[in-house]
Amino acid sequence: MTQDRIKVYKFGGASVKSAEAFRNLARIVKTQAGGQQLLLVVSAMGKTTNALEALLDLAHRQQAFEQEFLQLKSYHLQVLSELFPQQGHPVFQRLEHLFEQLHAQLAKTLPNDNFDTVYDQTVSFGELLSSTILHYFLEEQDLHNTLIDSRKYIQTDSTWREARVDWGWTERLIRRDVPAMLQEGLVVTQGFLGGTNNGLTTTLGREGSDFSAAVFAYCLEAEGMYIWKDVEGLLNADPKYFADTVCYPEISYQETVEMAYYGASVIHPKTIKPLANKQIPLYVKSFLNPEGAGTKICNCRFEVIAPAYIIKEKQCLVSFGVKDFTFISEQNLGTIFNALSELRIKINLMQNSAISFSICTDYHPERLHRLIQTLHDQFVIHYNTELRLYTIKNYDAASINRMMAGKAVLLEQRTRTTFQFVSR
Ligand code: ASP
Ligand code: MG
């Protein structure tokens, strides 16, 4: 069986944010991949996805977007000119063509277009650009590779911006083509993107490239999946907030899934399930220190594990009160849950009391506005924004003290293993 030698590498935006980053990536592939069959999944360069979101926002509101468009283009061309100093390399024409298509897509966007649909058709260009550059650059480095369009392999429904994978189809397509390509050399593809059966582009949710890599790993029954990041491995806290983080050498799928669910930005929450189903280990490694041990995520169990601190930003606390001093009933809750599900508002935490029900959710101004419109006849609705949801997994007294110090708590909840509160 050759199959069990396949590895899937995922490179995020930071690992392709500059010419130097591309060179480092190529070095990793060269030194780590000897004798392996390797599929590379790549995200958009640096903060390109944010820039595309901003561009689309302008276009959708019929505002001028030329300046921002040129900025994004010149960022890509700058990296390109450093990677391909020789004039007339075919990659320049390919990029020019992609930027023309992106421009046309923005120019035809109208205010009453469904935002989520055009979002996927537009924001997907980030990965199309980065994967094209990576393909040609690796070729230049004598790393022969086939560039494939993940929209033709990861088949999804049309839940725009959060498309659901049609596993049966996807598996058939990947298994039909990709193993043979891997015999010939590397395979390069885009993270984050899928496609519908009528040829439209979908995206799998922000930071979804991890999930794309897991889909390929699952379908190819890979021996391992590797996420290359700018940190040592899976940490117990975001170094942005905590100076003294610890790196887990080994941790279970279960722990990791829960951390991702509570908002640890290290791995996309959907990534773990396909890997766990086929017992494919996930390695989180540093592209700055590729020899470092990193973290192995697998089917394992530990009695004691360092508390994990997770902070979810841009939260909003919404409370629904009944108007007539009756109690919150199952029927009331049913009405609220229906509206939430209809508007795709996800609950991160909830609590109910006699006469009110509160939820903590990600803040989407437009969805919140529609929620209030839908329910204001039946409930008195209050909300606070600019909040954070703090979670400690495997907490103890010291970790609670540490995280709560000096904070005014708006809502608090704990289970045997998890402590959570909402605060500014
Ligand atoms: N480029 C996409 C994003 O920034 C997908 C990813 O990076 O995983 O959300
Ligand atoms: Mg990214």
Side-chain angles (χ1 to χ4, degrees), residues 52-83:
L52 286 163
E53 284 186 349
L55 269 170
L56 175 64
D57 189 52
L58 289 170
H60 195 251
R61 290 188 288 112
Q62 305 291 284
Q63 308 277 313
F65 57 79
E66 295 301 334
Q67 202 184 329
E68 287 79 358
F69 177 82
L70 287 177
Q71 248 169 31
L72 185 66
K73 187 170 171 182
S74 65
Y75 166 47
H76 281 77
L77 291 184
Q78 176 59 36
V79 171
L80 213 54
S81 68
E82 287 174 45
L83 291 176

Side-chain angles (χ1 to χ4, degrees), residues 10 12-14 43-49 127 206-209:
K10 181 264 177 172
S43 300
M45 284 167 50
K47 302 273 177 245
T48 296
T49 306
E127 273 71 12
R206 283 303 308 264
E207 307 303 330
S209 298

Side-chain angles (χ1 to χ4, degrees), residues 29 38-40 131-148 181-182 184-189:
V29 171
L38 209 62
L39 179 122
L40 311 181
S131 59
T132 303
I133 300 177
L134 184 61
H135 161 69
Y136 284 105
F137 181 62
L138 293 177
E139 285 290 325
E140 285 292 302
Q141 306 290 303
D142 287 328
L143 289 164
H144 172 61
N145 69 95
T146 312
L147 175 63
I148 62 171
M181 293 172 183
L182 284 166
E184 302 296 314
L186 303 166
V187 174
V188 172
T189 195

